[in-house]
Amino acid sequence: MTIRVVLVDDQELVRAGFAMMVEAQDDMEVVGQAGDGKQALALLATVEADVVVMDLRMPVMDGVEATRALQARAELPRVLALTTFDTDEDAFAALQAGASAFLLKNAPPDDLLGAIRVVASGESVVAPRVTRRLLDRFAGRLVTDQRARTRFDALTDREQEVLGLVAEGLSNTEIAARLFLSESTVKSHFGRVLMKLGLRDRVHAVVFAYESGLVRPPNDRPD
């Protein structure tokens, strides 16, 4: 299946370079380009895309705000956030807004293309352990969402347990060993967690765990 990609960057030369790279792949095509977040939202209302390669720092509407706005739409594409700045603040903002991946613009071409493929497949590029490190650092900016807590309470005890272990950064294999279950059973449980909570991948499951109060910031955890 061909991966439909939308490129969003305020620098036309950067978009042109990315477009040449993407179009050279047998399994990808560029279905649209935009110069800022506002243009991107308008474009994505008219074209179907699987992955949006989104610059975070743009005029008019930045990539974080545009990514957040996309979350309110049905059948939304996944967002691969790009930035020239290697800062935890950028990564945190992108992930909290709903991005499934975070890369620097100067990453090797193969890394960018690989990230597009991973995100299109439904996975995330940022490891859950990295997500938890970011959330631990910036947890003070997160406010426990009562609606998230209500959705969490609708999970079964086993599903809550699996989500908690995912939030710790454990892989399906590690969770299976911890709970004495088969890996396929863990995958089934976690698949139901994602479906019930309306989440896209493991990274956003970790974010939800903080928002629901399942995981507490380090300062709030018992010694």
Side-chain angles (χ1 to χ4, degrees):
M1 186 180 72
T2 300
I3 302 171
R4 300 163 298 185
V5 180
V6 165
L7 303 173
V8 186
D9 195 293
D10 61 321
Q11 299 182 49
E12 189 172 352
L13 286 177
V14 171
R15 296 201 310 270
F18 286 160
M20 290 178 60
M21 191 189 316
V22 170
E23 290 288 359
Q25 309 305 304
D26 293 335
D27 59 341
M28 299 181 191
E29 67 172 328
V30 176
V31 296
Q33 299 185 37
D36 59 58
K38 186 175 181 180
Q39 290 179 12
L41 294 177
L43 173 65
L44 289 165
T46 64
V47 301
E48 293 186 358
D50 301 302
V51 177
V52 179
V53 178
M54 181 87 75
D55 184 23
L56 291 183
R57 301 195 178 188
M58 297 180 291
V60 184
M61 178 186 289
D62 64 27
V64 172
E65 186 178 350
T67 298
R68 188 177 295 113
L70 281 175
Q71 307 315 300
R73 299 186 177 184
E75 303 298 327
L76 70 160
R78 295 173 183 273
V79 174
L80 167 54
L82 294 181
T83 182
T84 54
F85 302 93
D86 184 11
T87 66
D88 282 351
E89 287 83 357
D90 283 335
F92 172 79
L95 297 178
Q96 190 183 20
S100 294
F102 176 83
L103 286 179
L104 293 176
K105 283 186 177 180
N106 62 0
D110 286 347
D111 286 1
L112 174 61
L113 296 172
I116 291 174
R117 293 186 176 99
V118 170
V119 170
S121 73
E123 298 297 326
S124 54
V125 174
V126 185
R129 285 186 174 90
V130 175
T131 306
R132 182 162 185 176
R133 174 180 63 82
L134 289 170
L135 292 175
D136 277 349
R137 178 176 176 184
F138 297 105
R141 301 185 190 178
L142 290 172
V143 177
T144 301
D145 188 332
Q146 187 55 47
R147 291 173 299 178
R149 185 68 204 184
T150 300
R151 289 158 62 200
F152 172 77
D153 290 339
L155 300 176
T156 66
D157 290 343
R158 178 64 85 186
E159 289 165 353
Q160 291 179 4
E161 189 174 22
V162 168
L163 175 58
L165 294 175
V166 167
E168 288 183 21
L170 273 63
S171 66
N172 287 341
T173 301
E174 292 169 330
I175 295 172
R178 177 81 64 89
L179 299 180
F180 303 101
L181 299 172
S182 69
E183 189 170 347
S184 61
T185 299
V186 172
K187 288 180 180 179
S188 295
H189 283 308
F190 186 59
R192 286 194 291 273
V193 169
L194 294 179
M195 180 181 65
K196 287 183 177 181
L197 299 179
L199 304 174
R200 294 181 302 288
D201 50 45
R202 299 180 85 85
V203 164
H204 297 111
V206 179
V207 175
F208 176 88
Y210 275 77
E211 292 177 337
S212 67
L214 172 63
V215 176
R216 290 183 291 173
N219 294 340
D220 291 343
R221 293 173 192 161
D223 295 331

